[in-house]
Amino acid sequence: MKIHHLSFALFLFSFSTEILASEIFYFYDSEVHNSQTIFSVTKFDVSKSNKIRAEINKRLVFDSNRVWSKEDLEVEARKRIASDPQLKSLMNEMPDSFKYLQTALELKVLKVPAIVLKENGHNWIVYGETNIQKALVLIRNSSDYQRAAKASQG
């Protein structure tokens, strides 16, 4: 068992100097993918906005026996938001739940799950993998990555 821990520590050390100069991003859907990792990564749960929207909708259900005008609905919704601290908090969280979109566009992420290693002006993306360690090994062993690493050294 000690050999396993030692080999894992050596594995981490071998990446440590390169990873420190890099950024790792993990795009996932928390309803489907695991988000636990030992690596320092920026995580983006792409399902967060849908969860917030669903919770807001639950809290803004109106009596269906009454006929509501658009104005009445708006007034009632504002009252509920003002009087319900959790609803107010959800409304405030909503814009932040979409911040991943800008980063995903900048990194050219097309689907989830995706692990992105941003290093030396390149974005290395692995789709379909949720294990960050495996994704980093796949990236580092790719011929494109090795070619770029050689080019940046010499």
Side-chain angles (χ1 to χ4, degrees):
M1 193 61 117
K2 289 183 181 187
I3 293 172
H4 181 266
H5 292 295
L6 179 60
S7 63
F8 184 69
L10 289 172
F11 169 80
L12 288 177
F13 180 74
S14 69
F15 281 117
S16 64
T17 57
E18 295 166 2
I19 289 178
L20 289 176
S22 308
E23 289 181 88
I24 303 170
F25 301 89
Y26 179 33
F27 295 85
Y28 67 100
D29 179 341
S30 64
E31 294 180 12
V32 180
H33 309 115
N34 183 2
S35 69
Q36 294 181 355
T37 179
I38 62 166
F39 290 92
S40 175
V41 299
T42 303
K43 296 179 189 177
F44 296 99
D45 179 0
V46 300
S47 64
K48 186 176 180 180
S49 59
N50 287 337
K51 291 175 189 173
I52 292 171
R53 185 179 306 121
E55 189 59 35
I56 289 171
N57 286 340
K58 281 186 211 173
R59 294 176 176 278
L60 290 178
V61 173
F62 296 99
D63 181 6
S64 61
N65 294 327
R66 179 176 167 198
V67 177
W68 295 85
S69 70
K70 185 177 177 181
E71 293 80 17
D72 290 342
L73 282 172
E74 188 173 321
V75 168
E76 182 62 25
R78 288 183 192 279
K79 283 181 188 175
R80 288 187 188 183
I81 292 168
S83 65
D84 183 343
Q86 287 182 314
L87 185 55
K88 187 182 273 187
S89 175
L90 289 166
M91 296 296 288
N92 290 334
E93 285 180 45
M94 185 58 97
D96 286 342
S97 71
F98 288 102
K99 284 189 177 180
Y100 76 90
L101 286 174
Q102 181 179 354
T103 305
L105 290 171
E106 289 170 2
L107 297 173
K108 298 181 171 79
V109 172
L110 303 175
K111 58 185 178 178
V112 294
I115 297 171
V116 181
L117 172 64
K118 185 175 183 177
E119 182 177 273
N120 298 327
H122 295 281
N123 296 335
W124 307 97
I125 304 173
V126 174
Y127 292 108
E129 182 60 66
T130 60
N131 183 314
I132 294 171
Q133 180 181 343
K134 281 184 184 178
L136 292 174
V137 168
L138 288 170
I139 290 168
R140 303 262 192 228
N141 289 336
S142 73
S143 58
D144 288 341
Y145 179 85
Q146 292 177 6
R147 197 175 312 115
K150 284 180 185 177
S152 69
Q153 291 174 353

